[in-house]
Amino acid sequence: MKAIVLHRYGGPEVLKFEDYPDPVPGPGEVLVRVAAASVNPIDYKRRAGLTKDFYPMQFPGLIGVDMAGTVVKIGAGVEGFSAGDQVFAMVDNTYAELCVAKATVLAKVPKGIDLIRAAALPLATVTGNQLSSATGIKAGQTVMVVGAIGSVGRSAVFTAKVRGAVVIAGVLQRQMDEAKTVGADQVVATDDDSAIANLPALDAVADAVGGRTAEKLMDKVKPGGVFATVVAPPQNAAKYPSVKVVHLFSKFDRKTLEFMAEAVRDGKLVIPISRTLPLRKAAEAQAAAEKGGIGKILLVA
């Protein structure tokens, strides 16, 4: 098969489109022909060696954690899947024409969702859902979602609204107009100190940004409130012992993925896709993703 192969850590230029041995499904595993993979921050951080302490590469090796595709072959003991099924998942080594996944981490793509576009959903929507859930937010309480126009942020906003919360979308001033489309009750510019100062006391923060913004918002969380984040916890967290800080690492959950995908299908949640590129242009895709912007970038195998 063709795949994006890494022989060393480095910049986007180390992503090489090469021949690589076809994976073979073992017991409990499924071989999938990849239709598309999405580009996520974890992909380029791993490529650069920034995750080698907890998520190292073995060279030559593959990367990628999101995919949608079609089942080609099933291993011994697999039930519930058969050749031809359209599936999507969070799974390793997805920048390739083929990948192997444990059947337990696969979900069937709901009818009505385009297979290629489905590749944008697993990591982002599950993470956003779990981020909102990690705040423990309840109906009537107020939560601020920081980074609300990103795919994780949009998913967190949607989930908080499903839980009945009052949701404030935290974005940069230049993103204010776009943020009005994500379904929040209010939009606040996180790079406007006066806007932050005028925030009401928050029951929770769901953070997808980190840094100085996170530190400023710690002071706005009520005693007994929760600050949940998918990036590094605020450096000043120790100054706020009454605020519970939750550092979230997303985990696959089939029911959550199906629920979020159905919301996308039904138009209740929008995950924008900014670009679709062939797999061989993975270096270009990652370079673009690292510059930031609104919308997922997909690699079509």
Side-chain angles (χ1 to χ4, degrees):
M1 69 174 181
K2 291 292 187 181
I4 298 299
V5 185
L6 280 77
H7 297 271
R8 61 182 177 86
Y9 293 120
E13 72 281 354
V14 304
L15 300 171
K16 304 298 183 182
F17 185 61
E18 298 177 353
D19 290 318
Y20 197 81
D22 289 2
V24 177
E29 294 181 334
V30 175
L31 178 66
V32 179
R33 182 165 298 282
V34 177
S38 74
V39 177
N40 291 290
I42 189 65
D43 301 338
Y44 45 81
K45 290 177 181 179
R46 195 173 184 218
R47 179 212 73 217
L50 300 179
T51 66
K52 58 186 176 182
D53 290 341
F54 61 92
Y55 192 20
M57 293 282 305
Q58 289 188 341
F59 300 115
L62 310 182
I63 60 171
V65 295
D66 263 345
M67 75 86 193
T70 304
V71 173
V72 176
K73 186 178 180 181
I74 60 174
V78 171
E79 297 180 355
F81 295 96
S82 57
D85 286 344
Q86 292 190 343
V87 295
F88 57 161
M90 296 159 52
V91 60
D92 283 334
N93 304 335
T94 62
Y95 284 23
E97 293 178 330
L98 296 166
C99 75
V100 161
K102 293 185 181 299
T104 53
V105 304
L106 280 180
K108 293 181 180 178
V109 176
K111 291 182 179 179
I113 293 184
D114 177 76
L115 182 60
I116 288 174
R117 295 181 69 88
L121 305 182
L123 182 61
T125 64
V126 170
T127 300
N129 179 284
Q130 293 177 350
L131 177 61
S132 263
S133 299
T135 67
I137 200 71
K138 296 180 176 64
Q141 292 185 321
T142 300
V143 60
M144 185 170 188
V145 177
V146 188
I149 63 167
S151 299
V152 170
R154 288 168 181 264
S155 301
V157 168
F158 168 77
T159 302
K161 289 302 297 179
V162 169
R163 295 170 74 99
V166 176
V167 181
I168 301 172
V171 298
L172 300 176
Q173 293 184 61
R174 59 182 170 80
Q175 300 168 333
M176 293 282 283
D177 287 342
E178 178 70 22
K180 293 175 183 177
T181 68
V182 304
D185 298 286
Q186 181 183 347
V187 179
V188 169
T190 55
D191 51 349
D192 180 345
D193 285 347
S194 64
I196 296 295
N198 290 326
L199 279 171
L202 303 169
D203 295 292
V205 171
D207 174 41
V209 174
R212 182 170 175 266
T213 298
E215 293 178 26
K216 290 189 292 184
L217 289 172
M218 284 293 296
D219 190 51
K220 306 304 295 188
V221 182
K222 295 177 181 178
V226 179
F227 189 104
T229 181
V230 293
V231 289
Q235 292 190 3
N236 63 344
K239 297 180 180 179
Y240 299 89
S242 66
V243 176
K244 180 181 179 181
V245 176
V246 179
H247 190 192
L248 175 75
F249 294 92
S250 62
K251 297 179 181 179
F252 174 79
D253 182 87
R254 180 181 287 124
K255 289 184 178 179
T256 297
L257 177 54
E258 290 171 344
F259 171 73
M260 299 299 280
E262 288 167 2
V264 170
R265 179 195 62 195
D266 297 341
K268 299 175 182 177
L269 170 64
V270 177
I271 302 297
I273 295 173
S274 63
R275 299 178 69 182
T276 300
L277 295 169
L279 179 62
R280 59 186 172 81
K281 292 192 175 182
E284 179 182 334
Q286 284 204 359
E290 287 186 88
K291 291 179 181 178
I294 299 171
K296 298 283 286 182
I297 297 176
L298 302 183
L299 294 171
V300 179

